[in-house]
Amino acid sequence: MKLYRTRIPTIAKAVIEGLCDGGDIEVELENRSESEQDLVSIMEEYLRRDYQLRDQVKDHMAAGGISYDQYGKIRNKIAEEWNHPTGDAVEKFLARQFIENFMISRFVEEVYTEDALLWRKTLDIIRGHDVDERALREEAKTLIKNEREGTVDYEIALQRSMRDVKKRRGLI
């Protein structure tokens, strides 16, 4: 899962509303925005740490003279050292963090559902807001004209096209 900053408030609202409407947690109406803000803070902290990871990977690669094709391997190695979730582990991590927050938050009046079921429900809500990166990439590829795939110009055009697609969908 890739977490987009623009989607964070939507995810937080969906989690609180979904769990409240399902009778899993109780949050007073006047405290809903505060409980949503708690979830927003958790996701923003994850993104902050993810950006730190990206910068660390770039610095490590530059210092070691490592080529860019090794980026994913180096990123996974450093993420593992930092115990920072990546890929499919992100949504599971966020679900755990949200549940821990529900247990200690002064804005959540009561938690009625046991942890395992609450975790699954929270995970389902988060997954419902996942962005299909493959579909974005395919849409971006259809917008590229007059460039041969595999060339540097094609990659530049693809990056530009991806940015346009993401802007149009409100992801950036």
Side-chain angles (χ1 to χ4, degrees), residues 32-131:
R32 286 217 178 168
S33 64
E34 291 296 333
S35 59
E36 289 170 14
Q37 189 57 46
D38 286 347
L39 302 186
V40 166
S41 296
I42 290 168
M43 290 183 275
E44 286 180 345
E45 176 60 21
Y46 168 80
L47 280 182
R48 185 193 64 75
R49 191 150 160 82
D50 201 55
Y51 289 132
Q52 269 185 327
L53 173 67
R54 184 192 63 205
D55 291 342
Q56 178 68 30
V57 170
K58 287 180 180 178
D59 292 346
H60 179 78
M61 291 175 69
I66 301 169
S67 66
Y68 188 75
D69 63 340
Q70 297 293 310
Y71 180 84
K73 183 178 175 183
I74 301 295
R75 184 176 193 276
N76 289 339
K77 179 182 166 208
I78 294 175
E80 189 174 318
E81 289 171 6
W82 285 18
N83 200 23
H84 180 75
T86 58
D88 292 339
V90 173
E91 54 207 17
K92 295 174 184 173
F93 169 79
L94 290 175
R96 277 193 313 275
Q97 293 292 308
F98 291 174
I99 292 167
E100 286 178 21
N101 178 70
F102 297 150
M103 300 301 175
I104 62 171
S105 176
R106 63 187 175 123
F107 303 112
V108 177
E109 305 299 321
E110 192 66 48
V111 176
Y112 297 111
T113 305
E114 65 180 60
D115 291 0
L117 182 56
L118 189 61
W119 182 78
R120 280 194 298 275
K121 288 182 176 187
T122 304
L123 189 60
D124 287 343
I125 295 169
I126 293 169
R127 284 181 174 159
H129 291 275
D130 192 14
V131 175

Side-chain angles (χ1 to χ4, degrees), residues 12-20 25 27 32 35-36 39 102:
K13 186 174 184 68
V15 168
I16 295 298
E17 283 182 359
L19 296 177
C20 284
I25 63 174
V27 179
R32 286 217 178 168
S35 59
E36 289 170 14
L39 302 186
F102 297 150

